Amino acid sequence: MLIFLPAFQPPAISASNLLRHVLSPFRSYLSFYRSEHLTRTGSGEDRAMSCLGASHNRAFQLQQNPLTGKSEWIVIEEDDAHAEEEAPAASSSLLASTSYIDMLNDCRRNRAFRLAIQKTVTAPCHVLDIGAGTGLLSMMVARAMMESGGGREAKVSACESYLPMGKLMRRVLRANGMETKVKLFHKRSDELQVGVDLDSRASMLVSEILDSELLGEGLIPTLQHAHDMLLTTNAKTVPYRATIYGQLVESAFLWKLHDLHSNEVRASDGIRLSPACSEKIIHVKPQQYAMHIDSLCSEIRLLSEPFKIFEFDFWKRPDSYGESETWLKPIEDGTVHAVVTWWVLQLDGEGSIFYSTAPNWIDTFKFEGVDYWCDHWKQCIWFIPGEGLPIFKDTNIPFKAVHNATNISYFLRGDKDTAINSFSSADRRLFLSPERLGIYGEKDIRSAFLTAVKNTLQRLKVSPLCVVADDSILLTILAASLSKTSKVISSVHGFQGKGYAYLQAISGANGFSMDRIQVLSKRVSTLPLDDSQRKIDMFMAEPFYYGKEGLLPWQNLLFWKDRTILDPILSKDAVILPSKGILKVCGMHLPDLWRSRCCLEEIEGFDHSIANEILGACGNLPCSLRGTCLPYFVWQCGEIKELSDVFSIMDFNFSEPLHECHGKIRIMFSKPGICHGLVLWIDWVLDEENSIVISTGPVNRYWKQGVNLLSKPVGVDVGTSMEIQASFDASNGELTLDSLFPL
């Protein structure tokens, strides 16, 4: 899921470049634009658009049913105060799955900004808050100015372009008696005009338009416009400066996430998704990927000391392009598989207040001497191509970094042409997420799919018709290469035309010709249902939908809907793969994740309790409210521990048409501890004999799981039980979960 960070300010850059970031499956934010921009958000299924009317703002949010693929626009008006109080539900559905709540629970971040604002605001002035979120920083500024004497010069102008968040901000301001102290604009900062919106240029800027990479939310173009059009000369800023650091690492797991070619050579199964002749046709995009690297601490070898890469000053206009070159001295022999990067914020001009996203092995910025986990900012990973770069202790190697307005690229060989090409938007190669490449390179997973497809094809008649209902290039290749007479219809429409070119490029290496493959530009459910269409002998899906890997596990059942629509043209003995999905559950200790989504109370003296329902708080919820089930890579959720065995709640039988499903189970805890929530996933049963199963649980780090946090943590002992009921709604793909500890 692409997650909406709190102080988002849509950058003033081209729509194509923006889409590149928004669609990146590892980006931890959502993006919302005005009428000139239309882009995906959230789960990859929603779109949002705002427009400025003559007298008020209006936003449009496009939501898509994960089972039917049908979409509808939700219109969000800038209601008056009473309407906002009475009907927060519309905004709640849009904001509950974002990381706002996590950011607001980050006490390190909140404290650092408060101290820096108190230190920087020494007299009444005009302050501009860009990407204001709930208005926390604006209220900190207003309070600091009141403490410094107030006066007519004291002005706080805040802009928040996403209308649902702007509406929430108004409610938070009113709850804290700040509605007259902060002037809110439902605009992007590059839409503000001095003399029209602002009475004068601002002499101070506060903003937090930062993502895990630092630049991805448009920090540079936003600062450029602000310094050019909205700020006075020598304006003060909070933060004052950001510095990016990096470290060379060796990690077999990180290598598996990007080097598909080498991993499938080791698999030795004869299937070539990345053949030697087309080695660069499929791989991860050359960009940074956000990840909680501390979760890999025991699997990483540090090959260099930390080194500084770039420094960005908020108090002056930044450049759109920059380069940094240095020589690094390795501290160990090894193979560099990745560059781990993080940033450090200096919030005040004197350099006494800092915030860092450094991994926990960097002790300098630990909070009160202990490890600290939050989800809204992570470290970043830059993969070194291929099998990595061998290096030797004390033998210097050249390192180069290049940034444009929104990205940073890294190179261990100073090749300027490569650096420039990494920013090209005209690249037509097939890019997959690191996790998907990891799945396709994993020997056991490949073997499971290969065995299931091979066994089925051997039982089918000559020249079977095989339909691949999702974006699985693996199943398409298997169906075509394991039978010399099969006819394959493949959707792969998520790749937007690149699917056919890719299959054509690798067909020779896999021993099939394209005359046996029909690639659709639409979903397979658009196939004709009359006698003109051959009966389908094999209907397949992994399931995998390109760009939608962030969905909850049960939101990947679109293929079941397609199978239901195509029921009239399924042959009598048609094989459905997978044949079944089993919803699994495990009670877990998740203290870090639970704290990050706990109900808000006072944040640095400002009441935020009114935002809990809208922002999807889970911990300490009133009994009348239900927490939101959210997708996470559980292995990256800080401190984790399984407290129960794994139990099956209910089955999804794909051999039957789509229907509602219900299940009830009593799980028993096998370890003592504090239970914070339930982790859910689906095990895919590939064959009718139930002998080939692919699990997507936490032990398999390539998939996200669904997490349902308890309102109150519960202490459990060995033998403690919990009753769980689950219901799957076949009309909208929603799963309802109820859990109860016996009294």
Side-chain angles (χ1 to χ4, degrees):
M1 180 175 71
L2 298 171
I3 301 176
F4 191 10
L5 270 182
F8 178 74
Q9 163 68 13
I13 52 179
S14 70
S16 61
N17 202 21
L18 287 170
L19 282 169
R20 194 186 69 75
H21 299 293
V22 175
L23 297 180
S24 169
F26 262 55
R27 296 288 178 190
S28 296
Y29 55 86
L30 301 181
S31 301
F32 299 94
Y33 303 96
R34 298 225 167 251
S35 54
E36 68 267 26
H37 295 293
L38 180 64
T39 180
R40 294 185 185 180
T41 68
S43 65
E45 296 289 333
D46 306 335
R47 296 183 181 180
M49 181 170 62
S50 316
C51 63
L52 187 63
S55 60
H56 66 281
N57 285 335
R58 175 179 296 155
F60 302 89
Q61 179 91 9
L62 184 63
Q63 291 190 333
Q64 191 174 63
N65 185 309
L67 278 182
T68 65
K70 294 182 179 179
S71 303
E72 65 174 350
W73 287 102
I74 296 176
V75 181
I76 305 166
E77 300 280 358
E78 185 183 10
D79 302 318
D80 59 39
H82 297 292
E84 289 177 5
E85 296 289 349
E86 294 171 357
S91 295
S92 177
S93 64
L94 303 177
L95 294 171
S97 60
T98 69
S99 66
Y100 265 109
I101 195 80
D102 175 82
M103 179 277 296
L104 291 168
N105 274 311
D106 184 352
C107 57
R108 285 192 313 157
R109 172 257 184 200
N110 300 334
R111 180 175 181 270
F113 270 92
R114 174 182 58 82
L115 292 174
I117 287 171
Q118 287 177 337
K119 189 174 182 179
T120 307
V121 177
T122 57
C125 60
H126 183 191
V127 180
L128 175 62
D129 181 359
I130 294 180
T134 63
L136 178 61
L137 302 188
S138 292
M139 292 188 293
M140 288 180 178
V141 169
R143 181 176 61 188
M145 284 198 286
M146 286 189 287
E147 292 172 351
S148 68
R152 296 181 60 184
E153 298 83 4
K155 298 177 184 177
V156 182
S157 301
C159 60
E160 173 54 58
S161 65
Y162 183 44
L163 189 53
M165 179 51 65
K167 292 172 66 175
L168 176 59
M169 179 177 171
R170 290 193 186 279
R171 298 179 66 202
V172 174
L173 291 175
R174 284 196 297 272
N176 289 277
M178 286 284 186
E179 65 268 34
T180 62
K181 307 296 183 183
V182 178
K183 187 173 183 180
L184 173 61
F185 298 93
H186 291 306
K187 291 185 175 184
R188 293 183 347 195
S189 63
D190 61 3
E191 294 175 327
L192 293 177
Q193 298 181 53
V194 175
V196 178
D197 305 296
L198 307 180
D199 294 335
S200 62
R201 286 178 176 252
S203 56
M204 179 176 167
L205 171 69
V206 295
S207 186
E208 191 206 77
I209 45 174
L210 314 171
D211 67 347
S212 295
E213 185 183 2
L214 187 71
L215 304 184
E217 287 193 5
L219 174 66
I220 287 179
T222 300
L223 288 178
Q224 288 175 336
H225 179 267
H227 281 287
D228 290 345
M229 307 301 296
L230 305 176
L231 301 178
T232 61
T233 304
N234 299 322
K236 298 178 180 179
T237 63
V238 175
Y240 183 81
R241 174 179 293 135
T243 305
I244 297 176
Y245 293 89
Q247 201 162 9
L248 307 182
V249 301
E250 178 180 274
S251 167
F253 178 73
L254 294 179
W255 166 65
K256 285 183 177 181
L257 291 181
H258 75 279
D259 188 7
L260 175 59
H261 175 74
S262 298
N263 279 290
E264 71 174 4
V265 167
R266 286 166 171 76
S268 302
D269 54 18
I271 301 300
R272 294 290 177 262
L273 280 75
S274 180
C277 60
S278 305
E279 184 173 348
K280 293 186 178 181
I281 197 172
I282 177 172
H283 54 110
V284 297
K285 180 166 284 191
Q287 66 181 41
Q288 297 195 76
Y289 293 89
M291 181 183 292
H292 288 291
I293 200 64
D294 289 316
S295 300
L296 288 175
C297 187
S298 62
E299 304 175 45
I300 281 180
R301 291 183 64 228
L302 304 178
L303 300 181
S304 75
E305 298 289 353
F307 52 89
K308 185 164 77 171
I309 301 174
F310 281 120
E311 194 171 80
F312 296 93
D313 291 322
F314 289 57
W315 53 270
K316 65 180 181 181
R317 190 185 194 279
D319 295 326
S320 297
Y321 181 87
E323 296 185 5
S324 171
E325 296 187 60
T326 188
W327 288 86
L328 303 178
K329 180 180 288 187
I331 58 176
E332 299 283 351
D333 294 350
T335 301
V336 182
H337 292 129
V339 181
V340 176
T341 66
W342 62 92
W343 45 257
V344 175
L345 279 187
Q346 176 187 326
L347 286 101
D348 64 322
E350 289 74 24
S352 62
I353 304 171
F354 294 91
Y355 181 99
S356 173
T357 63
N360 284 331
W361 65 71
I362 306 294
D363 294 328
T364 309
F365 296 102
K366 281 195 174 183
F367 182 64
E368 297 179 351
V370 299
D371 295 345
Y372 191 87
W373 187 90
C374 67
D375 197 47
H376 60 102
W377 287 320
K378 308 176 180 71
Q379 296 77 46
C380 280
I381 303 298
W382 176 275
F383 296 110
I384 302 302
E387 295 188 81
L389 179 68
I391 60 173
F392 304 95
K393 183 178 180 180
D394 296 332
T395 302
N396 289 351
I397 58 172
F399 177 85
K400 181 177 182 178
V402 179
H403 80 78
N404 64 7
T406 55
N407 302 94
I408 305 174
S409 297
Y410 303 109
F411 309 93
L412 289 180
R413 299 180 181 88
D415 187 340
K416 184 175 181 181
D417 292 333
T418 303
I420 295 173
N421 288 339
S422 72
F423 295 134
S424 174
S425 60
D427 203 320
R428 297 188 177 277
R429 293 170 290 179
L430 195 63
F431 294 111
L432 297 180
S433 72
E435 286 79 15
R436 184 55 44 180
L437 284 189
I439 289 170
Y440 284 162
E442 193 68 46
K443 183 176 181 179
D444 291 344
I445 297 174
R446 292 166 65 98
S447 176
F449 280 117
L450 189 152
T451 302
V453 174
K454 185 176 182 180
N455 290 347
T456 300
L457 288 173
Q458 289 175 346
R459 295 199 306 268
L460 292 176
K461 64 183 181 181
V462 177
S463 303
L465 176 60
C466 306
V467 171
V468 179
D470 60 353
D471 292 325
S472 176
I473 54 175
L474 173 61
L475 290 179
T476 303
I477 293 171
L478 289 175
S481 62
L482 295 178
S483 170
K484 301 300 181 183
T485 60
S486 61
K487 172 72 175 179
V488 183
I489 298 176
S490 182
S491 173
V492 295
H493 68 287
F495 293 115
Q496 299 179 344
K498 295 183 181 180
Y500 182 88
Y502 166 78
L503 292 169
Q504 187 175 43
I506 55 85
S507 59
N510 288 279
F512 64 85
S513 59
M514 290 301 291
D515 59 1
R516 290 196 289 119
I517 296 183
Q518 178 185 353
V519 177
L520 301 178
S521 59
K522 301 178 181 179
R523 285 171 50 192
V524 295
S525 57
T526 59
L527 289 172
L529 302 180
D530 53 29
D531 293 338
S532 65
Q533 175 62 49
R534 267 189 62 185
K535 294 289 186 179
I536 298 171
D537 301 297
M538 189 175 184
F539 183 92
M540 298 183 289
E542 293 186 29
F544 159 56
Y545 296 96
Y546 179 71
K548 302 174 185 177
E549 293 95 326
L551 297 175
L552 288 161
W554 47 90
Q555 292 177 336
N556 283 297
L557 301 180
L558 179 60
F559 74 95
W560 196 9
K561 178 68 173 180
D562 288 339
R563 172 252 177 270
T564 303
I565 294 173
L566 296 180
D567 193 68
I569 57 173
L570 293 179
S571 65
K572 180 180 179 181
D573 299 318
V575 174
I576 310 298
L577 188 157
S579 64
K580 184 168 62 176
I582 306 175
L583 184 66
K584 299 284 187 174
V585 64
C586 179
M588 292 191 67
H589 179 68
L590 301 161
D592 294 321
L593 182 59
W594 190 88
R595 281 193 296 267
S596 76
R597 298 201 69 87
C598 199
C599 277
L600 305 171
E601 296 178 354
E602 278 202 354
I603 303 176
E604 298 298 331
F606 297 105
D607 182 13
H608 273 67
S609 58
I610 199 171
N612 285 322
E613 182 179 0
I614 293 177
L615 296 183
C618 298
N620 290 331
L621 269 181
C623 296
S624 59
L625 299 179
R626 184 192 298 269
T628 303
C629 194
L630 298 172
Y632 287 97
F633 288 109
V634 169
W635 69 274
Q636 293 188 44
C637 288
E639 183 182 352
I640 61 172
K641 181 181 179 181
E642 295 183 5
L643 298 179
S644 77
D645 294 332
V646 175
F647 292 85
S648 301
I649 305 180
M650 65 184 182
D651 292 354
F652 303 98
N653 188 350
F654 305 131
S655 64
E656 300 173 354
L658 179 66
H659 56 81
E660 291 187 356
C661 302
H662 305 277
K664 183 177 180 180
I665 189 72
R666 182 178 294 274
I667 70 171
M668 304 295 293
F669 288 88
S670 54
K671 299 182 183 70
I674 305 297
C675 180
H676 294 91
L678 302 172
V679 174
L680 302 104
W681 65 92
I682 294 179
D683 283 357
W684 305 105
V685 181
L686 301 187
D687 62 336
E688 295 177 352
E689 294 76 27
N690 298 331
S691 62
I692 306 175
V693 180
I694 293 179
S695 177
T696 63
V699 295
N700 292 315
R701 297 180 289 187
Y702 303 123
W703 286 279
K704 286 186 175 183
Q705 295 79 40
V707 179
N708 186 264
L709 293 172
L710 303 178
S711 175
K712 303 286 186 183
V714 177
V716 298
D717 293 312
V718 176
T720 300
S721 65
M722 173 194 279
E723 187 175 279
I724 302 172
Q725 295 186 67
S727 298
F728 174 75
D729 189 335
S731 66
N732 57 24
E734 292 185 1
L735 184 79
T736 302
L737 196 72
D738 292 299
S739 58
L740 178 66
F741 280 95
L743 298 176

